[in-house]
Amino acid sequence: MLFALQHRGQESAGIVWTEGGAHKVDRRLGMVSGAADAWLSGTAASTGGIGHVRYSTAGGGGIRNAQPLAVECSKGSVALAHNGNISNSAALRAALTREGAIFQSSSDSELILHLISRSRARGIEAILRDALAPLEGAYSLCMLWGDTLAAVRDPWGFRPLHIAEKDGVRYVASETCALHALGPSISQREILPGEVVLVDEDGERSFFLPPAPRRARCVFELIYFARPDSRVFGESVHAARERFGEALAERDDVEADLVVPVPDSGNLAALGYARRAGIPFEFGITRNHYAGRSFILPTRAEREFAVRMKLHPVPEIVGGRRVVLVDDSLVRGTTSRLIVGLLKEAGAREVHLRLSAPELTGPCGYGIDIPDRSELISNRMNPGQIARHVGADTVRFLTTDLLKSRLAEPSEYCYACFDGDYPCPIRNGEGKDATCP
Ligand code: SF4
């Protein structure tokens, strides 16, 4: 399952499993493949476990922030895997530190373990209700509490979370692609916003946390982050991306010979665009699949190097042609400038850059590592200026209205990084988060 979720984080991977009544922990920097052999042979006697792949958002990277986190505390052995960002973590952390709490990591996830340990409630359900009450923001959690599995989705529903059952065993994963790895007959469902599922020797039961003022599924999961063969928020990611591409073509009158995706992030939107625009689709850029994902690497130098290692235009396809280049979104513009340059070097006559997301204008704060406002190119330039900056002939974005028109339940989503309407305040008071309302 962790192999199937590798696209969600490549900096570190880890597992915690039960063996002989105790929790064992193995966390490593790097990808799942570096640890899989040891994990498969070392956990044969285990009765249950949780795992995590991480890319750093709050708190930075490094082994001390690798997850799952595991502690012995007043409530027993508790291990935690967290997807998302707690948007009021700085205030909570400061309050806990004033009261004498000692933190071993700089990630916001450790807060949750402190709140659990300090709760005066009794029993897992009451403790979770009490400990999670002060949290704001995004938290899809998978916890191993002694032998009990607890899966939690925050009341806003920012990040996806699913549960499946097969042969009496429960499986929880962020995306359904990880559950497909268990075989075709798997029966699965979405864990609902605010739902807490507990699985122990008596079976499965669930309860709900108090509702949030609104739902806020992250639309960026559909645009970019989730794997296309997954269903998240009840939508096929594959189909949603094609619809976004079709919408992008709907109001575009550019004359071109080819639609070329930036592989793999632009593949499906390009397919939808080409079909709607009636322009031939070609894989005019070859991707080296042995190089990593550029967006997910933490430094600019690493991202630029990754692009050069990863993407190679095919001169026989793009030479002398007018190309519509489709990608999912535009962050700093650095990657697009490199790709447009590579296409022109390969002989493309014109390059028209099309993005299947609106203009990114703000950071996230709920678990996607979008940089500071000052680094976002759409905060500094209009599409004409961006075109000149990246070397493209024209640049166009999907509008928020058109994006919403392609979703089954548009009012249930967060679009804050595009429209500035943050579903819950981000009060972390430092760095990129300080700029949010
Ligand atoms: S701000 Fe953007 S990336 Fe963050 S949860 Fe909202 S839609 Fe997703």
Side-chain angles (χ1 to χ4, degrees):
M1 291 170 73
L2 285 177
F3 268 121
L5 295 172
Q6 187 76 82
H7 60 286
R8 297 188 73 88
Q10 301 168 338
E11 283 182 34
S12 63
I15 58 169
V16 173
W17 70 101
T18 53
E19 197 174 305
H23 284 180
K24 297 201 165 187
V25 186
D26 190 346
R27 291 185 296 252
R28 305 170 184 220
L29 292 178
M31 304 225 277
V32 177
S33 55
D37 286 346
W39 289 351
L40 287 170
S41 60
T43 59
S46 173
T47 51
I50 61 174
H52 191 267
V53 289
R54 176 173 167 83
Y55 87 107
S56 50
T57 50
I63 194 70
R64 75 185 184 128
N65 286 325
Q67 295 194 24
L69 303 173
V71 293
E72 299 292 329
C73 69
S74 63
K75 306 300 183 297
S77 304
V78 184
L80 170 83
H82 172 208
N83 177 22
N85 274 169
I86 305 302
S87 50
N88 59 342
S89 64
L92 292 173
R93 192 181 176 105
L96 287 167
T97 305
R98 273 197 303 277
E99 291 168 18
I102 297 168
F103 286 86
Q104 295 189 358
S105 76
S106 54
S107 85
D108 55 348
S109 313
E110 195 180 350
L111 275 173
I112 301 167
L113 292 174
H114 277 278
L115 293 168
I116 287 170
S117 179
R118 298 163 78 91
S119 171
R120 301 200 171 174
R122 295 171 74 93
I124 292 181
E125 177 174 339
I127 294 168
L128 282 174
R129 284 185 189 281
D130 183 47
L132 301 179
L135 299 182
E136 293 177 5
Y139 51 96
S140 280
L141 309 177
C142 205
M143 303 175 68
L144 200 57
W145 193 314
D147 276 333
T148 301
L149 177 73
V152 181
R153 192 157 163 224
D154 66 72
W156 290 266
F158 280 104
R159 303 275 146 233
L161 196 63
H162 299 83
I163 186 164
E165 190 270 341
K166 188 181 181 191
D167 302 329
V169 180
R170 299 306 197 288
Y171 302 87
V172 172
S174 288
E175 290 183 37
T176 57
C177 65
L179 303 172
H180 299 157
L182 300 166
S185 60
I186 197 93
S187 115
Q188 60 89 17
R189 72 170 178 91
E190 186 181 22
I191 294 176
L192 298 172
E195 185 177 4
V196 180
V197 180
L198 299 176
V199 181
D200 58 20
E201 57 192 11
D202 296 328
E204 175 186 327
R205 64 188 186 282
S206 65
F207 64 92
F208 283 84
L209 302 172
R214 55 169 279 201
R215 295 283 172 84
R217 303 160 174 167
C218 171
V219 77
F220 219 65
E221 292 274 353
L222 291 175
I223 292 169
Y224 169 80
F225 208 62
R227 217 170 79 168
D229 57 327
S230 285
R231 290 187 71 82
V232 299
F233 311 134
E235 296 266 13
S236 153
V237 176
H238 188 292
R241 285 184 192 161
E242 283 196 53
R243 292 199 303 271
F244 300 156
E246 286 168 6
L248 188 56
E250 209 170 272
R251 294 189 194 158
D252 201 352
D253 54 3
V254 70
E255 293 194 2
D257 306 308
L258 289 179
V259 176
V260 169
V262 173
D264 293 327
S265 53
N267 284 358
L268 296 165
L271 205 56
Y273 184 102
R275 192 160 49 219
R276 177 71 201 227
I279 301 173
F281 172 96
E282 288 276 6
F283 283 109
I285 301 172
T286 300
R287 179 179 166 187
N288 174 354
H289 282 270
Y290 303 97
R293 221 177 185 197
S294 60
F295 176 82
I296 218 163
L297 293 170
T299 71
R300 176 176 168 165
E302 282 174 307
R303 284 190 294 273
E304 287 193 13
F305 180 70
V307 172
R308 290 194 178 280
M309 292 293 290
K310 191 167 68 174
L311 300 177
H312 308 276
V314 185
E316 291 78 5
I317 300 289
V318 301
R321 318 294 283 279
R322 299 169 299 171
V323 174
V324 174
L325 177 68
V326 180
D327 204 355
D328 63 294
S329 56
L330 198 59
V331 184
R332 300 173 181 86
T334 328
T335 308
S336 298
R337 186 149 82 158
L338 284 166
I339 298 170
V340 172
L342 290 171
L343 282 174
K344 293 234 164 159
E345 276 171 31
R349 184 147 59 95
E350 295 174 12
V351 179
H352 302 274
L353 180 61
R354 298 294 181 264
L355 291 312
S356 63
E359 292 152 281
L360 271 171
T361 54
C364 173
Y366 311 121
I368 300 285
D369 190 21
I370 296 170
D372 242 10
R373 286 177 203 280
S374 61
E375 291 184 53
L376 296 173
I377 193 167
S378 291
N379 272 334
R380 291 182 280 117
M381 300 182 196
N382 63 34
Q385 292 166 321
I386 293 172
R388 283 191 290 283
H389 179 78
V390 302
D393 294 84
T394 61
V395 171
R396 280 199 187 160
F397 295 84
L398 186 63
T399 64
T400 310
D401 284 349
L402 276 174
L403 172 65
K404 290 180 180 177
S405 75
R406 296 315 196 267
L407 295 170
E409 296 173 301
S411 62
E412 301 269 302
Y413 283 82
C414 172
Y415 308 90
C417 50
F418 305 115
D419 67 6
D421 181 13
Y422 286 84
C424 54
I426 295 170
R427 291 194 271 253
N428 286 334
E430 53 184 299
K432 67 184 81 162
D433 293 338
T435 59
C436 292

